[in-house]
Amino acid sequence: MEIIGEKLYPFKLGTVIKCNFCSERVDAGTKKGLAPGKDEEATPACVNICPVGARVFGDLDDPNSEINRLIMEKKGKQLRKEFGTEPAVYYID
Amino acid sequence: MTYKTDEIWEDKWVNTTCGVCYCGCGAKVRVVNGVPVKIEGIKESTMGGTNAGLCGKGAAGLMYYHDPNRIKKPMLRTNPEKGIGVDPKWKEIEWEEAYDIIATKMKKIMEDDPNKILFTNQTMRASDGPHNHPYFYAQAFGVKNNGNFIIGGGSLHCGNACHMLGGLIHGAWSIAPDWRYTKYVLKWGSSKGTGSGHSAMTNARLRADAVRRGIKEIVFDPMGNFAGGKATEWLAILPGTDTAVGLAIANYIVNMRGEMDELYLKAKTNFVYLIKDDGTYMRHEKSDKPVVFDTKAGEIKEYDDKSAAWEDLALEGEYEYNGEKVRPCFVPFKEHLKQYTIEWASEVSTVPAAKILEVAKGWVDNAQIGSTITLEGKTFPYRPVSSVTFRGSQGHSNGIHQVAAIDLMAQLVGAEDVPGGTLGWPAIRRAYPGGNYEQTCTVGTDGVIVPSVFYSHDPWPVHAPSYPATNMGCVDVWTHCTLSHIPYVEEVDYIHEKLGMKAKPEMIFGISANFVISNSDWDTAVKNFKDCFVVQNDLWINETDQAIGDLILPDVSYLEKDCWSSEIDAFFFSGSPSYEDWFVHLQKPVAKPIGESRFFMDVYIEVAHRVGVLDKFNAKLNDYYGVKDPELQIKPGEKLTWKEIGERVLRWVYGPDKEKIEEQGYATWHKPIEDVYWRWQIDSRCPVYMEYLIHDRRALEKIFEETGFDYQKLEMDMNQYTPLPTWFWPESHKDLDDEYDLLAFSYRDILHTNNTTFQNPYVDEVSKMCPYTFTITLNTTMAKERGFKDGDIICIENKYGVKEKGIVKTMEAQSPKVIGIAGQGGLWADGRPIAKGKGANFCKLLPAKLKYFDPVAGNMETAVAVKIYKV
């Protein structure tokens, strides 16, 4: 497993990295035809494991997805969206 | 993902029970080539968080197995000098020699008086080992009740007052809101649903769903972190003043608003019992049962006389029985409450009066008195309000009144063990289909419930105080203690001498308790226990072992343990408190024991065998599980391992499904909804008017007079033995003055299980990222006014000159009159190098004098007046 880890994250100690929503996991899952946010194998590990279900993952490009419904319904907020980076993380109450 | 290579001959998942705290969530462990490599929750189980989520501690539990600092052989002290800072000069010895030493010493003591042996237990170890068995193991030695137990971990900071009333009111160990149906929750010094407390992740999951549903949750706490930070509203309160707010809300309900669940009060409490002028019950001339007044018939009857309808029982008025004036105890109660105005409560607690009023209104408005709900085809009263507390509010010298006041508001609106209200852990455990072990509470004297299982002596019927004391804890005298405070107090010698406890402790035997540093003043603990021969089963050499331990035996962690009993008997303690189906998990050995470590239950059996009390222990096991099948009973002269005992007990408990359950690692079966919402199914009454305390007071005063025990000199406040929930200033507040002007308190950091997890490198790494775990928190404005800033090293000093250093972290969400310290840092054991030097220790600041303990329930005053200054 360490070998796999080194392949995925070929960094030295101290390297700054950013969350990529377990892209390799989501990619592998979607290749199998699984749905992100519905099937665990196509969903980031933190979403699967959160013991209070605080995180929701899904396809923002799909207007009918659960995630878009929640963002609309709960008035999801993006942080610093004025910088034009189109943050893909929304916060809901 | 699974990777199969030539080097991997085994890759499997094993279902077991998490053992990192006492909650017992279902856990599955991935084992590769015999090595545990990953831990996750068990999806199907109700024992855990959303989607089977374990908490961070649970996921980090692997390090219990992988920690190279664990002891691998029995360790014997060679330096006779004991104390903090003294090198014990450990020597590794063989198990045979260790057993020999223990058995020789024990046999000698047993010839004299078994009460010279103290037993240790650990709150942390609950899920991590059999729960109740260490207690009746002690009984096999001839020790009665729980008087010879000392504990570490949550120690006496934990729930003596909560358990006492949990037992009396709910027939259970503790309480939680009915998250599924509640609408309005008050939490008082409790993190139920936000990461700690009993069934932590089960409650967290249920609470998260409730929050998404839109409940209101109001948290009274000195700081707004785990519970307060996530609540609808956090109200800063001074430690130990919850009683004041609770009584003011009760006064609002009874005397201002006048809206109560009268039928509940008449049917389910003792408020209708008639009392004499001296406050004690008027009892029926023939049956000796308490009596009530039937307004319809116009006559006095026994409380359980079925000819009187509940609604006709009098809550008010004055009557006559055999020429003596009597009145329902609700009358003085109602009058008593009038003194507790909202303005007064605000002054005492620092909670704004307008807020107290708002909460009181919210409470009654949401209680929906009179409404019902139909679930699974059965109709129950529906009271969607819940008021819960645990360690924070009850850990005070007025603890019993704190808990009584917080419970009182739920009583007044009938929100106890009904949908939406406060639930005890199910008081009833039906047998597994086809199995035999069933636990149901019974109704005892005066209509009060008797819990089916309890760790200590049953809270009901109350044992009348008596002397001479027959055990170290003097629970003959302090009869309400779940675990006694007496062994820890500074005046222990005086107490033993006066109360006739002749035996002095000579030996301590038990399980990894850290009782020297996790209770109160360290020096007193060392003084009280250093002359004993201390034997502990432990994973590491902890602070207590290093200071006073003589022989430390290497124990297995939960990952190496075959503990079939881990949850069977803990339904009332760490099952799911809700309507969800039963899930009872076994603890499976997923790896081989490290070094020469041995499961402490097998060590216990070997020691009992050598001392000659094994038959007694086995008989207690037969009795405990109610094993009737002669094939399955342990016979006299039989010496079985814990696993072999399990083979028989599991067959008895699960019948033909035993193999299936062992294979899957858990049992699950339906929990009938009326077993959860049992309040109106069982004909019992809550002793809200604590009449028994009047009798206790009389008995104690007589004992003290006869023995010359000067309780006044020791400042033991006998006034707390009063039947009405009453306001008493906590001892810490009495110590406040111009110099010692802050109240220090501690809180449970959800990252940690007492101090055990300080040694876990994963948890340690996360703790370093948390701004609060290893620091001392001060309110931002207060810190600025006093010239403190983040990162300053300060000294905290109590009135007795005890000091502790720590690093300042300011936070807005904290009362300006308090300082907060997380858990139990400030550790120094060489055997736990990761824990060593982390955080600050709060416990040492707590004075160990008798007056700092609740005179009724024995829990400790866990706030302390201090001054702080820069180092």
Side-chain angles (χ1 to χ4, degrees), chain B residues 623-638:
Chain B
D623 185 48
Y624 180 70
Y625 289 105
V627 182
K628 300 280 185 304
D629 183 346
E631 293 269 300
L632 300 176
Q633 282 176 346
I634 315 171
K635 284 138 205 92
E638 261 191 304

Side-chain angles (χ1 to χ4, degrees), chain B residues 376-395:
Chain B
E376 293 185 14
K378 299 189 175 71
T379 302
F380 302 91
Y382 183 41
R383 301 288 178 276
V385 291
S386 177
S387 167
V388 294
T389 178
F390 199 63
R391 180 201 162 291
S393 68
Q394 70 98 57

Side-chain angles (χ1 to χ4, degrees), chain B residues 420-445:
Chain B
T422 300
L423 302 181
W425 263 234
I428 303 154
R429 181 205 197 264
R430 299 277 172 220
Y432 179 85
N436 285 295
Y437 174 74
E438 182 156 297
Q439 293 281 7
T440 50
C441 50
T442 51
V443 180
T445 324

Side-chain angles (χ1 to χ4, degrees), chain B residues 511-750:
Chain B
I511 323 153
S512 68
N514 211 343
F515 54 89
V516 163
I517 63 146
S518 64
N519 279 284
S520 49
D521 180 46
W522 293 356
D523 290 341
T524 307
V526 170
K527 179 178 92 41
N528 286 6
F529 301 117
K530 73 173 170 28
D531 294 335
C532 297
F533 188 80
V534 180
V535 183
Q536 291 220 86
N537 295 266
D538 210 337
L539 299 180
W540 309 277
I541 303 282
N542 70 18
E543 284 71 14
T544 299
D545 302 335
Q546 186 169 333
I548 61 167
D550 288 280
L551 176 56
I552 312 303
L553 308 170
D555 195 4
V556 294
S557 81
Y558 74 99
L559 294 168
E560 308 137 66
K561 179 181 288 186
D562 197 325
C563 194
W564 48 270
S565 63
S566 58
E567 295 301 315
I568 293 173
D569 49 316
F571 70 91
F572 85 120
F573 169 91
S574 57
S576 171
S578 75
Y579 49 86
E580 293 177 322
D581 281 350
W582 291 109
F583 266 84
V584 175
H585 294 263
L586 310 183
Q587 207 154 46
K588 300 281 212 160
V590 302
K592 290 206 174 74
I594 291 287
E596 292 182 20
S597 55
R598 296 182 185 180
F599 181 14
F600 76 83
M601 277 318 292
D602 284 321
V603 175
Y604 271 24
I605 288 168
E606 182 62 35
V607 168
H609 171 66
R610 292 185 184 222
V611 177
V613 298
L614 185 58
D615 279 352
K616 283 187 194 160
F617 178 55
N618 287 340
K620 283 185 186 294
L621 284 173
N622 287 336
D623 185 48
Y624 180 70
Y625 289 105
V627 182
K628 300 280 185 304
D629 183 346
E631 293 269 300
L632 300 176
Q633 282 176 346
I634 315 171
K635 284 138 205 92
E638 261 191 304
K639 187 189 169 204
L640 305 176
T641 63
W642 192 243
K643 185 174 168 50
E644 287 163 346
I645 294 171
E647 291 291 319
R648 300 195 190 178
V649 176
L650 290 177
R651 174 71 68 207
W652 175 249
V653 173
Y654 296 118
D657 278 359
K658 169 183 174 280
E659 282 75 17
K660 180 185 138 196
I661 284 159
E662 281 180 307
E663 173 67 29
Q664 68 188 15
Y666 58 82
T668 176
W669 69 106
H670 183 58
K671 192 194 290 174
I673 200 152
E674 61 272 27
D675 284 357
V676 182
Y677 305 120
W678 57 266
R679 179 63 61 187
W680 290 84
Q681 320 297 317
I682 298 175
D683 195 4
S684 66
R685 288 175 180 271
C686 301
V688 189
Y689 178 81
M690 300 179 281
E691 193 248 5
Y692 51 90
L693 291 180
I694 302 177
H695 300 284
D696 286 349
R697 181 178 184 152
R698 287 176 187 168
L700 286 173
E701 284 176 347
K702 188 162 173 278
I703 290 172
F704 295 161
E705 200 189 318
E706 285 173 12
T707 56
F709 176 80
D710 193 347
Y711 69 88
Q712 281 161 324
K713 196 177 99 190
L714 268 52
E715 296 176 65
M716 180 180 161
D717 187 0
M718 292 301 291
N719 293 321
Q720 288 208 36
Y721 281 85
T722 173
L724 300 167
T726 301
W727 168 246
F728 295 94
W729 282 103
E731 281 305 313
S732 55
H733 288 246
K734 294 183 196 168
D735 283 347
L736 287 171
D737 58 25
D738 288 346
E739 191 183 354
Y740 298 88
D741 61 346
L742 291 169
L743 286 171
F745 73 98
S746 80
Y747 59 95
R748 280 182 179 170
D749 187 320
I750 60 166

Side-chain angles (χ1 to χ4, degrees), chain B residues 220 245 248-249 342 345-346 349 351-361:
Chain B
F220 293 88
V245 179
I249 294 175
I342 285 173
S346 172
S349 66
V351 181
K355 281 290 167 195
I356 300 177
L357 182 62
E358 195 182 304
V359 171
K361 277 185 178 161

Side-chain angles (χ1 to χ4, degrees), chain A residues 1 4 40 47-54 74, chain B residues 3 43 49-51 53-54 201 204-205 208 212:
Chain A
M1 267 164 279
I4 301 287
E40 282 198 2
V47 176
N48 292 334
I49 209 69
C50 179
V52 290
K74 304 257 182 183
Chain B
Y3 304 96
K43 226 167 229 176
T50 305
N51 210 6
L54 287 178
M201 298 325 290
R205 166 172 56 84
R212 282 187 277 267

Side-chain angles (χ1 to χ4, degrees), chain B residues 128-335:
Chain B
D128 180 21
H131 295 241
N132 284 353
H133 307 74
Y135 293 114
F136 50 80
Y137 181 73
Q139 289 165 14
F141 283 76
V143 171
K144 278 192 288 182
N145 293 328
N146 263 15
N148 277 37
F149 266 89
I150 48 176
I151 52 166
S155 70
L156 285 176
H157 299 216
C158 213
N160 265 18
C162 279
H163 300 319
M164 174 183 161
L165 287 188
L168 291 175
I169 306 285
H170 299 279
W173 193 243
S174 189
I175 52 172
D178 180 15
W179 297 111
R180 178 74 176 269
Y181 297 109
T182 197
K183 293 179 180 171
Y184 196 76
V185 174
L186 306 183
K187 293 208 291 203
W188 311 78
S190 150
S191 267
K192 283 175 201 286
T194 40
S196 61
H198 300 106
S199 305
M201 298 325 290
T202 302
N203 270 321
R205 166 172 56 84
L206 296 169
R207 177 189 170 274
D209 291 341
V211 168
R212 282 187 277 267
R213 194 165 51 77
I215 61 157
K216 268 196 169 174
E217 188 186 49
I218 318 287
V219 168
F220 293 88
D221 217 6
M223 76 197 305
N225 57 351
F226 304 110
K230 293 176 180 63
T232 319
E233 191 160 11
W234 162 65
L235 296 172
I237 188 169
L238 287 186
T241 64
D242 313 69
T243 313
V245 179
L247 291 175
I249 294 175
N251 186 22
Y252 167 86
I253 300 170
V254 175
N255 291 313
M256 292 167 71
R257 183 99 172 234
E259 262 177 67
M260 291 167 285
D261 187 342
E262 284 202 16
L263 183 63
Y264 174 89
L265 295 181
K266 289 172 178 178
K268 293 289 157 196
T269 73
N270 66 349
F271 274 144
V272 287
Y273 290 5
L274 299 176
I275 53 169
K276 299 178 271 191
D277 274 350
D278 67 358
T280 61
Y281 293 148
M282 173 57 79
R283 290 184 178 273
H284 192 267
E285 55 193 345
K286 286 191 189 125
S287 67
D288 210 35
K289 287 179 180 174
V291 291
V292 294
F293 186 77
D294 180 349
T295 53
K296 202 169 177 194
E299 62 183 84
I300 286 174
K301 295 177 175 174
E302 292 158 307
Y303 75 90
D304 57 353
D305 187 332
K306 296 285 175 256
S307 72
W310 282 326
E311 57 266 34
D312 294 331
L313 302 185
L315 272 174
E316 313 229 16
E318 197 176 287
Y319 312 95
E320 209 180 283
Y321 187 71
N322 288 347
E324 203 169 338
K325 244 184 14 192
V326 288
R327 55 195 177 146
C329 56
F330 186 71
V331 177
F333 166 78
K334 189 177 173 183
E335 200 55 35

